[in-house]
Amino acid sequence: MGSIKTGTDVVVIGAGPGGYVAAQRASQLGLDVTLIEREELGGTCLNHGCIPSKALISVGDLLYKVNNAAERGLVVKGSVEVDFAKTQEWKETKVIKRLTSGVASLMKAGQVEVVKGTARFTDPHSLEVELNDGGTAAYTFKHAIIATGSTAVNPSFFPLDGENVVDARGALAFREIPPRFVVVGGGYIGVELGIAYAKLGSKVTIVEATGQLLPGTDPDLVNVLMRRLRRLGVTVMLNARASGGLQNGKVKVQDGEGKVHEIEADKVLVSVGRVPYTEGLHLDKAGVRVDEKGFIPVDEQMRTNVPHIYAIGDVCSPVMLAHKASAQGRVAAEAIAGRPSAADWQTVPAVIFTDPEIAYVGLTEAQAREKGYDPVVSRYNFAAVGRALTMGESDGMVKLVGDRQSGLLLGAQMVGPEVSELIGEIALAIEMGAQMEDVALTPHYHPTLSEGILEAALSWMHSIEKAGRK
Amino acid sequence: MGSIKTGTDVVVIGAGPGGYVAAQRASQLGLDVTLIEREELGGTCLNHGCIPSKALISVGDLLYKVNNAAERGLVVKGSVEVDFAKTQEWKETKVIKRLTSGVASLMKAGQVEVVKGTARFTDPHSLEVELNDGGTAAYTFKHAIIATGSTAVNPSFFPLDGENVVDARGALAFREIPPRFVVVGGGYIGVELGIAYAKLGSKVTIVEATGQLLPGTDPDLVNVLMRRLRRLGVTVMLNARASGGLQNGKVKVQDGEGKVHEIEADKVLVSVGRVPYTEGLHLDKAGVRVDEKGFIPVDEQMRTNVPHIYAIGDVCSPVMLAHKASAQGRVAAEAIAGRPSAADWQTVPAVIFTDPEIAYVGLTEAQAREKGYDPVVSRYNFAAVGRALTMGESDGMVKLVGDRQSGLLLGAQMVGPEVSELIGEIALAIEMGAQMEDVALTPHYHPTLSEGILEAALSWMHSIEKAGRK
Amino acid sequence: APAAGAGPADRPRRALATPATRRLARELGVDINQVPGTGPAGRVTSDDVRAFAARRTAPAPA
Ligand SMILES: Cc1cc2nc3c(=O)[nH]c(=O)nc-3n(C[C@H](O)[C@H](O)[C@H](O)COP(=O)(O)OP(=O)(O)OC[C@H]3O[C@@H](n4cnc5c(N)ncnc54)[C@H](O)[C@@H]3O)c2cc1C
Ligand SMILES: Cc1cc2nc3c(=O)[nH]c(=O)nc-3n(C[C@H](O)[C@H](O)[C@H](O)COP(=O)(O)OP(=O)(O)OC[C@H]3O[C@@H](n4cnc5c(N)ncnc54)[C@H](O)[C@@H]3O)c2cc1C
């Protein structure tokens, strides 16, 4: 065992949205592919990340909506109760399982050999797999794609205990809704899950070390969210530091003035960042270099310093997003097949599934100015968008950033209903090099939320017209 | 009275989405504008059409969703009841009224003179208004924009009685949810309202004279809708003709085989089409020509046969959509101000707020072939889109039509969750002359419904690649 | 949804061109940032890329 080496064109390590997409694409291009994964197909995203989080969010959403629809004439006589075991079962079987078996079928259809086990390099052209079923297997490969993803930081100031102090993976798997839930870290993962559990019935406190939730996000957007969090009864502590773990059902939090608060908690989610994961991979044996933060540097075709070894997804850069991983996976597969593909997109949209949702793409006003543009910003509030009113969801706005001289659409920042979907139009516009006028003159159906984009583009045009463009 | 004539640059007749947008734009461009409306600002769309229908649809939707969420762990203990008086009050005060007062503020801000009354031409440069408050007023104008919209057909075979047999305007204003509701005419207005009341609790029957609901819509989309209608308990009678009105609480319907059925009904909506409305306008005095169907023919700048008189919206063509009216209104206002604007958009998207929603834009496969393209169609089902599963809404699909040679994206037909918003991306793509590749290479956030578009575009690319493009 | 927005290619002097045009340039071995754009706002069109490639490979007149 372990001495018989199987040869393959491409070995892909890790079956997350980076790895499985790369494997599928490589097989489509006629390559012989081996995909190695030690857990479930689908990686973090399908099993413990994007997908399960959105499933819980959407259930919480529906509950919250119906409990707040009296003004619209929907009256709950009695109550709407959460059978959380049922919710979790649905999430596991009707959401995750369906998607992961979809991935399995794709792999089968593409004749990708799926190996369940943990891979480690033995030299630049071979690796060994510690099989989940026992034993090892060895592979030689012409090309490798490293797609081992990332893992949650386990901070020494608030160590996970795997039971009541958990990372997002743990929080997504709660068997019961925690009556009191503390979230340490106000990034998107913590805020999304905090809101979900708040809607499902938890008393939620979010502790964020900096002065703003969702650090790095346009404060105009976050302000709208903050108002909603207040209405949801979520406590937000800014400039505050939790430490010391959960002691006697309490979390110690030091606020900006140095005062220490004790917050009661049944469960604590620690979400203070994610780091690239290459543990036990023996990258050194393959000669693959990592940077000081542990990321694997790559070129536009996703090649590492070892030209026949590629890296994609969370493991190769701090923009840790599933669709970026998938797009990079396609580029790597195509590059291996000799195609002139490159990861040269202009923009990667960002979406946060809060309530209301937040989405942005391209440049903010400040970023545009830094790049030497002469940015003009227009805004349009959802309170004036007919469709938003008919949905009873009128908080939020669309901000569009355009360049005065060229009229180019440079970016959008949005907060409001369904902006997760609206951002698609802007991402395409930016990739196409659209001018604001292109958006303003494209008919948008009435009544839709995307009229918010149309109106912002129109008002941008009209403000330029008033000011005089040339 | 009536003898003092007020002069104005532009008079706009009708304050629907055509007229009020034209008035606003003309005033922005420095013109002196008078807007004449005999009912509420906002026209059919805001008061009796798009907006109130979507308000009722969204309330019905929420009720239906929560009553069908047991699998997701939301258990209604007791019941969720509809207080329809409350629903209607919300619709009137929190939706319609807000939007119409928004229009009023816009007019005020633009110093548009709003005159409440009924206009009629007296000669090509003047008109008279029968004021709602009594008396008449006379205006001379340099330019006129006719935006008098359309009205529901009142068919002799099933005459409205204004009480139990009503048009859409009547059906939107019901004080109670009719226990048994018959819809005569399976176009989008009838189907949207049929579904809304079905979700709110009515037993609904839709009677359609042709062999398909939503005539003119891609049957692939309608099939998905038909399955949902069955689940909703809506009875659909195709190739069927209702006639004779409501007699003793019954509607007589003759089916395709000539058999006559008697359907019990409390209320009947007759929605068998809309016709342009120019009654009492005295177009002849202005010399404005109408065609045999009553529409006012216009050129690309919305000019009628009388060069200083324009017509926009429902009154000028059978594509009766609010956003088309608004876009034409902007063109007319800009043309009057001497700008080189034209109604030369490639596409007007169509959306139907059924469950699931339907949306399409550009060419279908058959239309593309007719135009001499070599169309290739790709589809992607929402059942394979992660976001759709997390929402519990996985019925439906995205169909993209592209030209084999040029790779141009020619059209999209979609049915599924939120396709009303997804269509915005495709409409922009078509206006920008995008190729399928542009869509396929633009990062789409994961997990979103718009990944359905991405996947369809990718699979289009890959099928062409297999078949060989050149 | 963390620090996105600043895509990998948010670099200075990036040619304005659609994804399909960029791919065409790579296929033809053309550095798109060298191609003068004739489209709106200086957008590099696929015709610009083809013309550039043709000029580059055109045999010198005999
Ligand atoms: C709670 C949460 C919510 C999120 N929500 C979103 C969101 O809405 N949108 C979004 O874009 N992103 C979201 N993300 C981030 C997203 O999950 C990641 O960006 C994405 O999963 C990265 O994909 P990947 O293929 O690079 O790695 P991963 O998905 O992490 O997959 C890596 C795989 O490699 C396997 N592996 C590692 N080492 C080995 C080895 N030596 N041998 C064999 N197998 C190995 C692992 O078991 C794992 O399955 C979220 C993350 C979390 C935690
Ligand atoms: C139930 C229903 C649902 C609909 N849903 C949608 C939808 O979702 N999306 C969509 O795009 N379209 C929809 N429509 C169609 C949409 O309402 C029309 O296309 C749109 O209103 C047309 O705008 P308009 O400005 O041309 O005319 P209108 O909105 O009809 O406005 C015309 C105005 O002119 C006034 N008027 C007429 N004659 C005179 C006169 N002589 N003097 C003074 N005033 C006069 C009328 O009172 C009216 O207010 C729907 C229609 C209905 C009935």
Side-chain angles (χ1 to χ4, degrees), chain B residues 8-207:
Chain B
T8 183
D9 286 346
V10 185
V11 66
V12 181
I13 310 170
Y20 85 74
V21 168
Q24 183 199 8
R25 186 71 185 122
S27 74
Q28 272 173 350
L29 293 170
L31 297 162
D32 172 36
V33 185
T34 303
L35 174 64
I36 304 167
E37 169 61 58
R38 63 172 175 199
E39 297 198 30
E40 298 301 320
L41 292 179
T44 304
C45 178
L46 262 58
N47 296 287
H48 316 290
C50 334
I51 292 297
S53 61
K54 273 77 230 180
L56 294 187
I57 287 166
S58 84
V59 173
D61 238 40
L62 179 53
L63 178 64
Y64 180 73
K65 277 202 179 114
V66 75
N67 279 329
N68 287 276
E71 186 189 28
R72 290 196 272 162
L74 295 189
V75 187
V76 179
K77 292 266 162 71
S79 63
V80 183
E81 312 257 305
V82 185
D83 178 345
F84 198 56
K86 209 75 198 275
T87 305
Q88 289 288 30
E89 188 196 323
W90 165 76
K91 187 195 86 182
E92 295 299 323
T93 60
K94 297 293 166 69
V95 183
I96 295 177
K97 191 76 201 151
R98 278 208 192 149
L99 291 170
T100 54
S101 28
V103 173
S105 319
L106 282 177
M107 295 306 107
K108 202 159 182 183
Q111 295 178 288
V112 172
E113 194 196 337
V114 176
V115 179
K116 287 302 191 78
T118 304
R120 56 178 173 258
F121 287 103
T122 44
D123 68 49
H125 279 285
S126 58
L127 53 71
E128 198 170 53
V129 180
E130 189 133 350
L131 298 168
N132 288 354
D133 289 346
T136 60
Y139 292 85
T140 59
F141 53 83
K142 292 198 193 115
H143 303 271
I145 300 178
I146 303 171
T148 47
S150 61
T151 186
V153 169
N154 184 351
S156 57
F157 64 86
F158 212 115
L160 309 179
D161 68 14
E163 176 66 28
N164 295 317
V165 180
V166 298
D167 60 10
R169 178 173 183 162
L172 287 165
F174 287 157
R175 301 321 306 171
E176 276 154 34
I177 296 166
R180 295 157 310 178
F181 183 41
V182 169
V183 177
V184 178
Y188 84 96
I189 292 177
V191 178
E192 285 188 0
L193 286 178
I195 293 178
Y197 279 110
K199 286 180 170 173
L200 290 168
S202 300
K203 170 86 200 79
V204 174
T205 304
I206 302 177
V207 182

Side-chain angles (χ1 to χ4, degrees), chain A residues 119-133:
Chain A
R120 54 178 173 258
F121 287 102
T122 45
D123 69 46
H125 279 284
S126 58
L127 52 73
E128 198 171 50
V129 181
E130 188 133 351
L131 298 168
N132 288 355
D133 290 346

Side-chain angles (χ1 to χ4, degrees), chain B residues 144-292:
Chain B
I145 300 178
I146 303 171
T148 47
S150 61
T151 186
V153 169
N154 184 351
S156 57
F157 64 86
F158 212 115
L160 309 179
D161 68 14
E163 176 66 28
N164 295 317
V165 180
V166 298
D167 60 10
R169 178 173 183 162
L172 287 165
F174 287 157
R175 301 321 306 171
E176 276 154 34
I177 296 166
R180 295 157 310 178
F181 183 41
V182 169
V183 177
V184 178
Y188 84 96
I189 292 177
V191 178
E192 285 188 0
L193 286 178
I195 293 178
Y197 279 110
K199 286 180 170 173
L200 290 168
S202 300
K203 170 86 200 79
V204 174
T205 304
I206 302 177
V207 182
E208 164 58 33
T210 74
Q212 185 192 284
L213 277 196
L214 307 174
T217 306
D218 182 339
D220 282 353
L221 311 185
V222 179
N223 286 340
V224 174
L225 173 64
M226 290 300 283
R227 285 199 292 278
R228 183 69 60 95
L229 285 171
R230 230 165 289 142
R231 229 183 303 153
L232 281 167
V234 172
T235 305
V236 177
M237 304 181 75
L238 299 175
N239 300 308
R241 304 195 147 268
S243 63
L246 186 64
Q247 308 274 5
N248 305 320
K250 286 187 181 124
V251 174
K252 276 210 175 71
V253 179
Q254 184 170 338
D255 71 17
E257 274 99 55
K259 220 174 110 190
V260 174
H261 305 254
E262 297 211 316
I263 320 282
E264 298 192 337
D266 303 289
K267 297 277 183 188
V268 181
L269 161 62
V270 179
S271 59
V272 294
R274 296 181 67 83
V275 285
Y277 183 78
T278 54
E279 226 175 275
L281 245 190
H282 294 187
L283 286 179
D284 51 328
K285 300 231 168 126
V288 174
R289 218 166 49 72
V290 300
D291 70 15
E292 65 286 357

